[in-house]
Amino acid sequence: MAQAWKCSGLRWVDGVPELVWDGGRRSALTWGKRVAFKVADGGVRTCVGARGHLCPMRAVVSARSTGARCEECARLDRAHSVAADTLADDPRPYRVYLAWFGPGLVKVGITRVERGPVRLLEQGAVCFSWLGTGPLMAARRSEELLRAALKVPDRIPYADKRAVRSALPGTEAERAAEVRALHARAVALDGWPESLAREPCLTVDHFGVFGLADLPPALGEVSGLVAGGALSGELVAAAGPDLHLDLADGRGVVVLDTRLLRGWELGPSDRSGGQSRSGPRGPSDPGSPGGGPGREIVFSIREFRPSDDGSAVQDGLF
């Protein structure tokens, strides 16, 4: 490719998913738009650095790493991280939340008050409710209380989230039921930090925001990009960092974790009709011509197999 662009990741802005490119350009994604791109021939995936700094070693990283960082940059990135529990003196207020991703998939977490529901969108939470608001360490103690007393996890694997998205309950009340029940059990616990103000259960539903109504089951997920590989498909849904794409070759829907795009040089697919002046034809401009029908996907796909309840279960590679 004569020119290539690097993706900084997927962001949710006012409930709309946007791909962000190095340099600050953003591409809003809407349902039905074509996403088509190719990885540069002979290219390698390089570390994206940490905390706004480039990787000094320009280290090559695994195609399957969602972090897209070398070991040293990953350590630096987590050195002052709320998620890694290495930042304890943040004076800003935090909220504790309960998030639901599908039947039996409920977690507890925290996020800064100023971020609003963005953290829930980033994680792909289909339904959530706030549980309390207070200082960071009080929020952390509340999170630990729920883990210890009610066995509520603070992490849900993305593979589990993806596997159930096309088989979620059809009504908002059904989707909120587990959150409401767990919220009632949580606020009844003893041992809550005095500095944390508990909040009533007011569930927020992202089913429509993510475009999950009538979502076709995915045949699998992209497990890694490769040099020279291409992908073309129509966007049918998005949740968290994931894009659900109906492949142009008619094979069905696959899930692309956009974190896998980071660190690669990307450009238009072979049938894109030329180079864009402002970004690669495809993910940066999903409405533009991309790989046409019949364009093969040449990335590795981890296949889902149907389970007894109609959802999907990860199987293997093909």
Side-chain angles (χ1 to χ4, degrees):
M1 293 182 291
Q3 188 176 1
W5 291 262
K6 285 192 172 183
C7 182
S8 301
L10 186 73
R11 302 288 184 270
W12 286 86
V13 180
D14 297 328
V16 177
E18 295 182 348
L19 283 172
V20 183
W21 303 92
D22 285 3
R25 186 174 186 271
R26 295 173 179 265
S27 303
L29 300 174
T30 55
W31 315 139
K33 290 299 183 70
R34 181 71 61 192
V35 174
F37 65 90
K38 180 180 178 180
V39 178
D41 292 321
V44 295
R45 191 185 192 200
T46 55
C47 175
V48 297
R51 307 186 66 79
H53 300 285
L54 295 175
C55 175
M57 303 300 293
R58 302 296 193 272
V60 175
V61 296
S62 168
R64 299 193 178 194
S65 166
T66 54
R69 291 186 174 92
C70 67
E71 185 176 343
E72 182 61 24
C73 286
R75 183 197 63 77
L76 178 61
D77 188 64
R78 294 176 68 84
H80 295 85
S81 167
V82 171
D85 221 5
T86 55
L87 181 64
D89 57 354
D90 189 343
R92 293 170 293 187
Y94 278 76
R95 271 177 160 166
V96 185
Y97 61 80
L98 294 173
W100 182 88
F101 303 90
L105 301 177
V106 186
K107 63 157 282 188
V108 60
I110 68 174
T111 185
R112 293 197 309 273
V113 168
E114 65 192 53
R115 297 203 72 205
V118 173
R119 181 62 178 152
L120 286 304
L121 292 165
E122 291 174 344
Q123 294 185 40
V126 179
C127 177
F128 81 92
S129 175
W130 304 122
L131 191 56
T133 302
L136 172 59
M137 294 314 295
R140 275 290 187 220
R141 289 196 296 273
S142 303
E143 189 181 38
E144 179 57 34
L145 175 65
L146 265 67
R147 287 201 301 263
L150 301 179
K151 309 302 180 186
V152 184
D154 62 349
R155 298 179 188 276
I156 300 290
Y158 273 101
D160 294 348
K161 302 175 189 178
R162 294 168 187 142
V164 300
R165 281 192 192 130
S166 63
L168 296 174
T171 69
E172 186 171 337
E174 290 175 298
R175 295 189 292 272
E178 288 186 70
V179 171
R180 292 184 179 280
L182 186 57
H183 189 286
R185 295 177 62 198
V187 296
L189 290 173
D190 293 326
W192 281 84
E194 293 183 1
S195 57
L196 191 95
R198 279 173 276 187
E199 298 189 28
C201 185
L202 299 172
T203 56
V204 177
D205 192 273
H206 290 150
F207 190 78
V209 173
F210 292 154
L212 301 181
D214 302 318
L215 178 65
L219 62 90
E221 63 186 12
V222 176
S223 57
L225 277 60
V226 295
L231 181 149
S232 177
E234 178 184 305
L235 182 66
V236 294
D242 296 339
L243 303 182
H244 289 245
L245 302 173
D246 190 1
L247 296 180
D249 62 10
R251 292 169 59 195
V253 173
V254 297
V255 183
L256 171 66
D257 185 338
T258 54
R259 295 175 298 178
L260 296 175
L261 300 178
R262 302 182 68 202
W264 288 103
E265 291 190 340
L266 305 175
S269 63
D270 291 341
R271 300 187 183 187
S272 65
Q275 194 78 354
S276 166
R277 296 181 180 179
S278 55
R281 296 278 184 185
S284 69
D285 185 5
S288 64
R295 176 70 186 174
E296 292 185 356
I297 179 170
V298 292
F299 301 133
S300 296
I301 302 294
R302 181 178 293 110
E303 187 180 26
F304 296 150
R305 58 180 174 81
S307 64
D308 292 338
D309 63 1
S311 61
V313 178
Q314 288 191 124
D315 190 7
L317 297 177
F318 68 93

